[in-house]
Amino acid sequence: MSEIDVSKILEFPDESLDEKDRKIMIVLKEAGINGLGFNALVKKLQPEVSRSTVAVRVEKLLRLGYLEKKQNWRSGKLKPIYLSKRTQQIFAIIDKSREMSSDIIQKLDELDELDQEVFENWINEFREKFNGLFGMAAMIAVFYGTSAAGDIYLPFLINDYRNLLNKFTKTMRDKPELFKAFRRWLFTKLKTHSINFEELMEKMKKELETR
């Protein structure tokens, strides 16, 4: 089977999801492979999400393929609702991405005053892993659809991105020698793309002075 055929099988319909949809999926993820009956799901979500809203959203998520419901359940018993295999795959990627983010933050904690060569090796590794996190979003968009990427993956990772950037900024500001090494590395990289950061800053300064 070709890659294109695989993506068509995995792709979810392009219909937007919101925080309430994500809350339902998180509760069912925590419930595991056996899922939850509707009443148990409602109880877990109250008071943030009303019973009627849960009913509407579950039907929507079932229709879109994010959730499934056991069809051949014992007579008289509630049919458990659980995450579909495709949704489980997305959450597995989310969990792995969060592990990568935690690993980068831990290495930032371990950073000390480094010489230029050692710092350049580290920053290249940092950039590769950081770009890898964003690359995951692109991969999900291609295989699972833009709604899965923009409405599931990115919202769950946004706080991790924010914490990572805050930690990186604080580390650079708290360690002057690291900041100087980062500045030299950044200016060098920009010049390879015909961008002179110092000229840009000088131009901006002159524009502000003329206002």
Side-chain angles (χ1 to χ4, degrees):
M1 183 178 291
S2 71
E3 292 183 4
I4 294 177
D5 291 333
V6 170
S7 70
K8 290 302 180 185
I9 291 172
L10 295 175
E11 188 174 5
F12 292 98
D14 187 14
E15 187 169 329
S16 63
L17 306 173
D18 61 17
E19 185 63 24
K20 291 185 176 65
D21 298 318
R22 290 189 287 272
K23 283 181 182 292
I24 291 171
M25 284 189 268
I26 280 291
V27 169
L28 290 173
K29 176 179 182 287
E30 293 171 351
I33 59 174
N34 292 324
L36 291 171
F38 179 75
N39 289 336
L41 177 60
V42 169
K43 187 176 180 180
K44 290 274 189 182
L45 290 162
Q46 288 179 334
E48 288 87 356
V49 188
S50 69
R51 184 182 184 87
S52 60
T53 298
V54 175
V56 171
R57 296 309 179 92
V58 165
E59 287 304 315
K60 167 188 172 182
L61 294 172
L62 286 168
R63 173 174 56 81
L64 294 176
Y66 291 101
L67 306 182
E68 293 180 4
K69 186 185 291 186
K70 288 189 181 296
Q71 297 302 317
N72 298 320
W73 199 241
R74 294 187 298 273
S75 177
K77 297 290 186 180
L78 294 175
K79 296 177 181 177
I81 304 162
Y82 54 97
L83 297 181
S84 68
K85 291 290 185 184
R86 288 179 293 166
T87 308
Q88 291 177 39
Q89 291 167 1
I90 293 174
F91 275 104
I93 296 171
I94 290 172
D95 290 341
K96 183 61 179 178
S97 296
R98 300 190 82 169
E99 287 179 15
M100 289 171 61
S101 179
S102 296
D103 180 61
I104 296 173
I105 290 176
Q106 181 180 345
K107 289 191 175 182
L108 278 169
D109 284 328
E110 297 169 356
L111 265 184
D112 205 342
E113 307 295 340
L114 306 175
D115 62 40
Q116 180 73 10
E117 182 179 356
V118 174
F119 177 80
E120 286 187 5
N121 291 335
W122 175 85
I123 196 67
N124 285 328
E125 180 184 358
F126 173 86
R127 184 179 60 166
E128 181 178 347
K129 288 185 176 180
F130 189 77
N131 289 342
L133 291 175
F134 283 96
M136 290 286 196
M139 183 194 75
I140 288 178
V142 170
F143 284 98
Y144 296 93
T146 55
S147 292
D151 295 339
I152 301 180
Y153 180 82
L154 287 177
F156 282 121
L157 268 293
I158 194 65
N159 284 335
D160 293 73
Y161 289 141
R162 185 180 291 112
N163 292 338
L164 181 56
L165 289 173
N166 286 343
K167 183 66 179 179
F168 180 78
T169 301
K170 187 176 186 303
T171 301
M172 294 299 106
R173 290 176 177 174
D174 289 349
K175 298 179 178 180
E177 291 306 313
L178 276 180
F179 177 75
K180 290 177 183 177
F182 174 66
R183 188 174 182 272
R184 288 193 296 269
W185 174 86
L186 178 62
F187 284 7
T188 300
K189 288 295 180 183
L190 289 173
K191 285 181 179 178
T192 62
H193 296 285
S194 301
I195 299 173
N196 189 314
F197 188 77
E198 292 173 329
E199 286 183 2
L200 287 175
M201 293 300 293
E202 186 63 28
K203 181 180 179 181
M204 186 182 299
K205 181 181 177 181
K206 290 179 179 178
E207 289 179 354
L208 289 173
E209 288 174 352
T210 58
R211 291 182 181 179

